[in-house]
Amino acid sequence: MRVSVFGLGYVGCVSAACLAGMGHEVIGVDVNQVKVDLVNDGKAPVVEERIGELIADVVRSGALRATRDVREAVLNSDVSLVCVGTPSEANGSLCTTYLERVTEQIGAALAEGGEEKRGTRHTVVFRSTMLPGTCLNLLVPILEKNVGGTAGVDVGVAVNPEFLREGTSVRDFFDPPKTVVGELDAASGDVVLALYEGLPGEVFRVPVPTAEAIKYADNAFHGLKIGFANEFGAVCQALGVDSHQVMDVFLADRKLNISPAYLRPGFAFGGSCLPKDLRSLVHAAQRADVSVPILSHVLPSNSDHLQRAVEMVERTGKRRAGLFGLSFKPGTDDLRESPLVELAERLFGKGYDLKIYDANVSLSRLLGANREYIETRLPHLAQLLADSVEEVLDHAEVCLVGTRDPAVVSALPHGDGPVIVDLVRLPDADARRAEPGYMGLAW
């Protein structure tokens, strides 16, 4: 394919060289004449493993060249890969100035070269990191205005985030952890996938905003992992424990620790272990004068998420509420530090007329610490518990669903009926999202 790559920094330079190495005809575009000259001389404008020899090879073969001329690059390519920087502004917001400028230039070049491009549809692929909504709400209108046509019809558009680590980016390009294509239309996605044909790794074709968000999910989690490891290591050091030995054992657990477990958005956590152990760990760190801002904010973050559910109910303006689920996790009657008990307590305290159903919770069967806990936190539970799903549905104007109990899921009405506040992402959540009375905390 004929490809123009805009921006010859780390991402653009590596993408251009590697695509040329795969047999594509690539034109690198940059406003910096020094970078353009370096590439045309077969030299890399960045320091990176393997990039120097790769650029020398593909320039020598004629597969890669560079220019400052946007129009010439666009008119001599079928795909434009936008790899310009999106730095932070002083207040932390995303700077989209370079993205906007390049999008405008590509659109203008396509409009000017109408005759030369007749019969072909150019595809603009955004590889720069940008927040969800940037492409559809900001860049697509700019492109359409300058092209004088419709994105997805007259010009293809896709978002293709990169997962390249500086230092190993060439290796990462040829052996990616995944390939993500946010496609405005199927034809745009097909063009992107044709660029990477033959590369290993799972391919995900998703809506454009999803592709934009994935890069942020990755980087936020990477930062969180590093911060967690460093904070926990500092606590271990203060307590005289070998942190690397601890983490070796931690990392060996592929069932819970290094796995999809606990990484699905949903409701707040609770139970007899997580909250108390986090409190103990943070307290131990404080006693040892070790600052642990990440660990110390996990429980407040959890509480804020619970409050979001309360606020969803408040926005409905309804006063008769139903709650499905009470125990801290499905298949148990353990109510200790259950976030659903806390939710019930907050709603009851705000004066909501509340009915609760949980097939595993019967006041007459609650014993020991479980009973003591509920009598302390929710002493009016007896008058709130319902005997059936139907009793709650008949009562409630708004239903909070904190369980995937099949009896509950099958009884929930579609369309007309109480407002549904989904705390667990119901199995039919995708269909329900189009309904006016559905609100999802786990979207």
Side-chain angles (χ1 to χ4, degrees), residues 15 48 73 80 114 123 190 198 215 222 238 245-246 251 273-274 286 311 318 323 328 352 356 426:
S15 297
E48 183 72 20
S80 289
T123 300
D190 290 342
K215 183 62 182 289
H222 296 332
Q245 195 172 62
V246 172
L251 293 168
C273 295
L274 294 187
Q286 290 170 342
E311 291 167 358
K318 312 292 185 183
L323 174 61
F328 91 94
Y352 284 89
I356 305 169
L426 292 165

Side-chain angles (χ1 to χ4, degrees), residues 104 107-108 111 139-150:
E104 185 177 332
L139 303 181
V140 164
I142 292 173
L143 186 64
E144 289 179 330
K145 177 183 177 182
N146 284 275
V147 169
T150 303

Side-chain angles (χ1 to χ4, degrees), residues 333-344:
D333 67 348
D334 194 347
L335 302 176
R336 291 172 294 173
E337 299 216 41
S338 168
L340 291 168
V341 171
E342 174 71 20
L343 177 58

Side-chain angles (χ1 to χ4, degrees), residues 385-404:
L385 283 177
D387 295 324
S388 66
V389 175
E390 290 70 27
E391 184 180 346
V392 174
L393 290 174
D394 289 342
H395 164 81
E397 298 171 297
V398 53
C399 284
L400 298 100
V401 185
T403 177
R404 286 181 162 221

Side-chain angles (χ1 to χ4, degrees), residues 238-277:
L239 299 179
V241 178
D242 185 336
S243 61
H244 281 258
Q245 195 172 62
V246 172
M247 295 308 286
D248 284 344
V249 178
F250 172 86
L251 293 168
D253 183 347
R254 297 292 197 270
K255 185 175 184 180
L256 299 179
N257 293 343
I258 311 301
S259 75
Y262 309 124
L263 284 172
R264 295 291 183 186
F267 194 42
F269 65 77
S272 60
C273 295
L274 294 187
K276 79 172 182 65
D277 290 349

Side-chain angles (χ1 to χ4, degrees), residues 324 393 399 408-418 420 428 432 435 437:
F324 292 110
L393 290 174
C399 284
V408 172
V409 173
S410 62
L412 291 174
H414 283 268
D416 294 336
I420 303 295
D428 57 354
R432 287 183 178 273
E435 297 174 359

